[in-house]
Every structure is written in C-alpha cells, then in structure tokens.
Amino acid sequence: MKKILLLSAIYPAVLLGACYSSKKATVTSVKEEKATTITDNRWILIELEGKNVAATINGKEPYLIFHTTDNRYSGNVGCNGIGGTFALQDNNRVELTPGPSTLMACEHMEVEQGLSGVLQRANHYNISKNVLTLSKDNGTALARFQMQDNKTAQQALNGSWELTYISGPKITFEGLYPKRKPNITFNLPEETAHGNSSCNNYNVGFSVEGSSIEFGSAMSTKMACQGSGEATFLSTLKTITHYKVNGTTLELIHNEEPLMRFEKKK
C-alpha cells in the first residue's frame, strides 16, 4: 500500500517534469526560430524570378540590408546604390517603398532593373534556414537572398583602409589632403580602430551591430596641422551610422548617404 501511495506521489511529479521539459523545449525552439530576423543582416541576392544570380555583378556582390534604426533598406546590385523604406506588418507582410537612387549606366543592368521591379511588387517575406524569400500574396517567389552572418560581414571590415573620397567640403580631395591621405585600421572583435588622420595618429573606439556602426571620440597626438583635412575627417567619422564592404571598397554611411569611401591597403 505504501508503495502504491509512493508511486502515486511520484507520477504527477514525473508528469509535471515532462510537461516542463516539453514547454522548455518549445520555448527554446521558438527562440531559435526568431534568431534570424530580416533586419540588420546582410542579404546576398541568389535568385531573381526563378533564375540564379551570379555571385558578383560588375565586380560587386548584390545585396540588401534592412536597417532597424530608421526602417530603411539599402543595397547595391552591381551598379547603382538602391534604397527606400520598409514597414513590417502582421503575418509576415512587408510594404516596400523605393526611394531615390544613383543613375549610373553600367554594363550589366538586368538584375538591378529586375530587382527594382520586384521590390515594388513584393508584399510578403519568409525566412527559412537563413534564406529570405520575397513574394506576392499568391505565394509566387520573386527573389531569394542568402544571409551573410554578421561575424563574416564584420570580419571583412578588419584590416587597414585608405580614404579615397569624403563628402562635404568645397575644396577638392587633393586640396584637402595634398601630402597624406587619412587611413583607418579596424580591430575586431576588440571594437577599436587606429590610424592617421593625415597629420596626427589617432585611436578610436566603435560599436558595431549588423551593418550599423557608431564611433566614439578619437584620441590623437597633438601636432599642429595645416588646413582643415584632419578636422573634416574626424568630425565626419562621428556622424557615421552604417557601413558596407564591397570587395576592396569600404563605405561609411550616414543613413543612406555614403560620406566616406576607402580602399583596402595591402
């Protein structure tokens, strides 16, 4: 009789433990399912209207990024920078509103033109096994993208870069930096950078998440410098909100406008 009572007491506890274990597994599963989100990941275009897309177009990797901070998307499909706004809705619906883009004419424009049309028609998205599919309500897949994980994207940021373009000043780039171009070397995962601002050496901390990047205040040596090149470089660095790496080219961006462009140093 005591054995029966003991078993009766144990059985609910075992059952409760099993339920808890099942519930815990479910929560973990849901958490894992939500780990891959459409925002702040770099999505490499791999398929457009049922046709495979080349790894590079005009020497550039075709991609899109959906930015959390301002609900804007940006990217490049081998020629012009493209962008616009997006709104995520219930049931994986998405509203994409194209914005202005550059108007360069390039050798291969088919994919860029095709994706521009897709972004105007797509109203639904789905993510499965790190593949993002944009589609219409009827289920027709319009474009597919492969996620490039943040670690891989950030590793591309590592190394030394030399400035080749900076936006804003009326003076020419050569006039701004007649003797020495500014440079920057990123150290990840430490999130520190150092370089030369065309006159003084500097160190600066930064934080990076997805394609978003924010620089702190730079600490530098105190040599007297001629012209406004150094001040322009350091003040522009403080305004940067995003970055993108295309091969050996790095762009530092404020919202959607590239303010600084660098080339990878060998």
Side-chain angles (χ1 to χ4, degrees):
M1 186 66 156
K2 287 182 178 180
K3 287 184 178 180
I4 293 173
L5 289 172
L6 183 60
L7 288 172
S8 298
I10 291 172
Y11 181 75
V14 172
L15 185 60
L16 181 61
C19 291
Y20 175 77
S21 176
S22 173
K23 185 177 181 181
K24 187 177 180 182
T26 301
V27 170
T28 302
S29 175
V30 170
K31 190 175 181 180
E32 288 174 355
E33 182 67 25
K34 290 184 177 179
T36 303
T37 63
I38 191 172
T39 54
D40 293 329
N41 284 306
R42 184 181 174 96
W43 296 101
I44 309 302
L45 181 64
I46 57 174
E47 183 183 301
L48 186 65
E49 308 241 40
K51 296 180 180 179
N52 292 336
V53 174
T56 60
I57 301 170
N58 296 323
K60 296 180 180 179
E61 190 175 51
Y63 75 94
L64 280 182
I65 298 174
F66 297 86
H67 306 286
T68 302
T69 52
D70 51 11
N71 285 343
R72 303 189 74 83
Y73 67 86
S74 63
N76 192 292
V77 198
C79 185
N80 291 286
I82 61 174
T85 61
F86 71 95
L88 302 181
Q89 302 166 348
D90 292 338
N91 301 317
N92 279 28
R93 291 182 64 82
V94 61
E95 182 179 347
L96 298 162
T97 304
S101 68
T102 55
L103 298 173
M104 293 188 297
C106 300
E107 187 175 357
H108 302 290
M109 299 284 290
E110 302 84 3
V111 174
E112 179 178 313
Q113 293 166 352
L115 183 61
S116 296
V118 161
L119 293 176
Q120 295 182 50
R121 288 184 284 145
N123 56 17
H124 188 273
Y125 76 96
N126 180 65
I127 299 173
S128 177
K129 296 181 179 179
N130 290 340
V131 173
L132 165 67
T133 302
L134 295 180
S135 59
K136 295 175 64 175
D137 272 336
N138 61 11
T140 302
L142 300 176
R144 286 193 171 92
F145 303 78
Q146 177 72 51
M147 186 185 80
Q148 184 183 57
D149 65 271
N150 290 337
K151 186 175 180 181
T152 301
Q154 289 171 12
Q155 284 174 348
L157 187 64
N158 261 337
S160 298
W161 304 84
E162 185 174 74
L163 187 72
T164 59
Y165 164 82
I166 190 165
S167 176
K170 295 180 181 179
I171 187 171
T172 64
F173 184 82
E174 292 74 16
L176 204 60
Y177 304 109
K179 295 181 180 180
R180 185 175 186 177
K181 299 176 184 177
N183 59 67
I184 187 168
T185 298
F186 291 92
N187 302 301
L188 284 164
E190 289 83 2
E191 294 193 339
T192 61
H194 66 274
N196 186 282
S197 56
S198 76
C199 178
N200 284 287
N201 294 326
Y202 69 90
N203 290 281
V204 64
F206 66 93
S207 60
V208 60
E209 183 175 349
S211 64
S212 300
I213 189 168
E214 183 178 349
F215 292 90
S217 297
M219 298 180 64
S220 68
T221 54
K222 302 296 182 182
M223 290 191 301
C225 308
Q226 293 183 343
S228 59
E230 178 177 70
T232 299
F233 177 80
L234 294 177
S235 62
T236 303
L237 203 61
K238 284 277 290 180
T239 68
I240 298 302
T241 58
H242 298 90
Y243 78 95
K244 66 179 179 182
V245 177
N246 255 322
T248 60
T249 301
L250 163 67
E251 287 187 340
L252 296 183
I253 302 162
H254 176 74
N255 295 330
E256 287 186 14
E257 183 184 358
L259 298 186
M260 309 172 87
R261 189 174 297 120
F262 298 77
E263 283 298 314
K264 193 75 173 276
K265 294 177 69 176
K266 297 180 180 179

